[in-house]
Amino acid sequence: YLLTSPHYPMEKPNVEALLDYVFTDEEFSDSPSIKEYKKLCRVMKVMINFYARGERNKKFQYEQVKAELTTIERDLKMITAQKATLTQFPPQHPKRVDYETQLDNEYKEIDAVREKYAAQAKSFEDLHHWGAGIVATTEWLEGNLKYFSNQELGTDFDLAPFTISTDDYKKYKRGLEEITYNLQESQDFFEASLDGRLKTFHTLEKCMIEAQLEAIRTYPEDSERRKHVESELLKDIEFVSGNLVENPKVIKHRERMQRMHKDFFAILKWQRKRMQELLDGNSEQIVGDVPALKIALEEQKKEAEKLTYESKFGESTDPHANMSSSQMSQGCPVPHVAAMINAKKQEEVAAKKDAGLIHKIYD
């Protein structure tokens, strides 16, 4: 699913530049001690629970929307059945025309609501399946960690023979990249919740709701539309007001999650190195055509670099056309993109510093 779904939440085609950008200097040793290994295990378990909980929530949301959708579809069938009974009567009868017009209008309105719920159901279903794939990836990464511990630290975890097919290697590599991208967005959320950006966002949202309430309350209270819209807006304002609560407990949780994300990135970087070592070492753990796998991954990387280049600078037949031979020989992980990201970051940091507002910036 990770490789085939068009709905996975990863918008940047070239993840390599992003991976190098978000990873900090805080990392675990390539050959961790028992103490470091125990921390790796704890962080890995937290990450598994983090995504497992999200996957369960998305499944629950999907089932809720699906139930609503079933009710709506039943109502549409009712309208269709009701309209079908009119066919036995003369088509020119004015009352039949009135009934059919009313039923057609009602069907159109309800069908529009059905389309909205169907889109929501599809979105939640896709996220549920995506989450299941991510959980499978994190569980495999945990197994990889235990295998490493058995090999390097002399532990005796009870593991089945640790092998992986070339197809699964591609799937878990992709999952690792998607987790990194997803956590980068999640990290930005917690940064924004602590530096005031999120509060500003929700305050503006609350003001928009209040302005709409003020406008509709100038109309009669017995207006059906006012009753419906006012009810929906009051639900919205209750929700956004909850998001504006900032007590010590909430702030402490956000700070803890901010620190936890640094550990997440550190272990993902470690796992990324391990997967590359697995591939470069021609290990017997990878079952299948390893040379073909390497070629496919390299082609995939080149295509991602090309797409990234074109999205930034327009179409190009060769994103490496202006590269030096030394850059080519070093493998060049898209230096033009990395340079652009770093230049933008330096400009924004300088601007913030001048204003006395230093914040960590994420693209």
Side-chain angles (χ1 to χ4, degrees):
Y1 191 87
L2 293 172
L3 296 173
T4 59
S5 171
H7 301 288
Y8 50 71
M10 202 165 132
E11 300 168 0
K12 297 182 185 297
N14 183 14
V15 183
E16 295 297 323
L18 175 66
L19 291 175
D20 291 327
Y21 176 59
V22 299
F23 284 132
T24 66
D25 293 333
E26 298 179 32
E27 57 183 86
F28 296 97
S29 168
D30 290 341
S31 300
S33 64
I34 287 290
K35 182 178 180 180
E36 283 182 308
Y37 169 76
K38 287 181 178 179
K39 183 175 182 180
L40 279 167
C41 287
R42 289 197 303 273
V43 175
M44 198 72 244
K45 184 59 70 177
V46 170
M47 186 179 294
I48 291 173
N49 292 336
F50 181 82
Y51 280 104
R53 185 168 57 250
E55 185 268 331
R56 288 194 300 270
N57 288 340
K58 288 295 174 271
K59 183 181 181 182
F60 176 72
Q61 289 172 318
Y62 165 67
E63 290 172 345
Q64 279 191 314
V65 175
K66 189 69 176 176
E68 290 289 341
L69 193 57
T70 300
T71 301
I72 292 170
E73 288 171 345
R74 184 191 61 199
D75 290 343
L76 290 174
K77 288 180 180 179
M78 189 191 306
I79 293 171
T80 300
Q82 187 178 346
K83 186 179 176 182
T85 64
L86 300 175
T87 58
Q88 61 186 303
F89 300 101
Q92 68 274 19
H93 194 293
K95 202 59 182 175
R96 172 180 168 176
V97 174
D98 286 347
Y99 281 136
E100 288 181 330
T101 300
Q102 291 172 14
L103 291 170
D104 286 342
N105 289 338
E106 185 183 7
Y107 189 99
K108 185 178 179 181
E109 290 176 2
I110 294 178
D111 193 47
V113 176
R114 182 198 63 77
E115 290 181 358
K116 175 185 174 183
Y117 274 87
Q120 283 185 341
K122 184 67 169 66
S123 175
F124 285 137
E125 183 181 25
D126 286 337
L127 286 170
H128 158 54
H129 286 301
W130 178 84
I134 292 299
V135 171
T137 298
T138 56
E139 288 174 343
W140 181 85
L141 292 172
E142 183 183 40
N144 187 28
L145 183 57
K146 289 180 178 178
Y147 177 81
F148 172 86
S149 177
N150 282 355
Q151 296 295 110
E152 303 295 331
L153 301 176
T155 53
D156 58 349
F157 286 108
D158 185 14
L159 297 173
F162 194 78
T163 59
I164 181 173
S165 69
T166 52
D167 285 342
D168 280 346
Y169 183 94
K170 286 192 291 185
K171 181 175 72 174
Y172 293 140
K173 181 178 184 296
R174 177 67 175 182
L176 180 59
E177 292 168 350
E178 291 191 20
I179 292 169
T180 303
Y181 182 78
N182 180 254
L183 284 175
Q184 190 264 341
E185 291 188 326
S186 174
Q187 183 188 48
D188 188 53
F189 169 83
F190 287 108
E191 291 281 349
S193 71
L194 290 168
D195 65 22
R197 284 179 289 152
L198 191 63
K199 184 176 182 180
T200 299
F201 176 85
H202 286 311
T203 299
L204 287 171
E205 185 180 358
K206 185 170 182 283
C207 289
M208 281 189 277
I209 298 169
E210 290 172 340
Q212 292 177 78
L213 283 170
E214 185 178 351
I216 66 171
R217 282 170 176 169
T218 62
Y219 291 86
E221 292 184 10
D222 59 356
S223 164
E224 290 301 320
R225 184 181 186 280
R226 170 179 166 173
K227 290 178 184 177
H228 172 71
V229 175
E230 188 172 21
S231 172
E232 292 300 311
L233 289 174
L234 287 173
K235 291 178 185 175
D236 290 346
I237 206 166
E238 181 181 3
F239 179 77
V240 76
S241 296
N243 287 331
L244 283 168
V245 173
E246 290 188 342
N247 56 46
K249 182 178 179 180
V250 170
I251 293 173
K252 185 177 180 180
H253 169 72
R254 292 172 179 174
E255 289 173 342
R256 185 175 68 84
M257 290 304 299
Q258 184 185 37
R259 292 192 300 270
M260 184 60 70
H261 274 66
K262 293 179 180 178
D263 286 337
F264 284 168
F265 283 130
I267 195 171
L268 289 175
K269 185 174 184 179
W270 188 87
Q271 291 280 15
R272 179 189 177 201
K273 288 180 179 179
R274 286 281 303 145
M275 288 200 76
Q276 190 60 45
E277 288 169 2
L278 198 63
L279 187 65
D280 293 340
N282 294 316
S283 171
E284 293 181 357
Q285 289 176 255
I286 304 180
V287 179
D289 192 342
V290 176
L293 171 63
K294 290 181 178 180
I295 292 171
L297 291 174
E298 187 61 30
E299 289 300 317
Q300 204 175 72
K301 182 179 177 181
K302 287 180 180 178
E303 181 62 23
E305 291 173 3
K306 181 174 182 291
L307 290 172
T308 301
Y309 184 90
E310 290 175 358
S311 70
K312 298 295 183 182
F313 304 107
E315 289 192 16
S316 168
T317 57
D318 182 6
H320 300 105
N322 298 318
M323 288 169 50
S324 67
S325 57
S326 62
Q327 287 175 323
M328 288 293 286
S329 65
Q330 293 169 9
C332 182
V334 203
H336 35 266
V337 176
M340 182 194 68
I341 292 174
N342 290 332
K344 181 182 178 184
K345 184 177 180 182
Q346 290 172 4
E347 290 174 2
E348 293 181 352
V349 169
K352 295 286 186 182
K353 188 173 182 180
D354 290 341
L357 299 170
I358 293 295
H359 296 299
K360 192 169 184 180
I361 296 171
Y362 298 93
D363 286 345

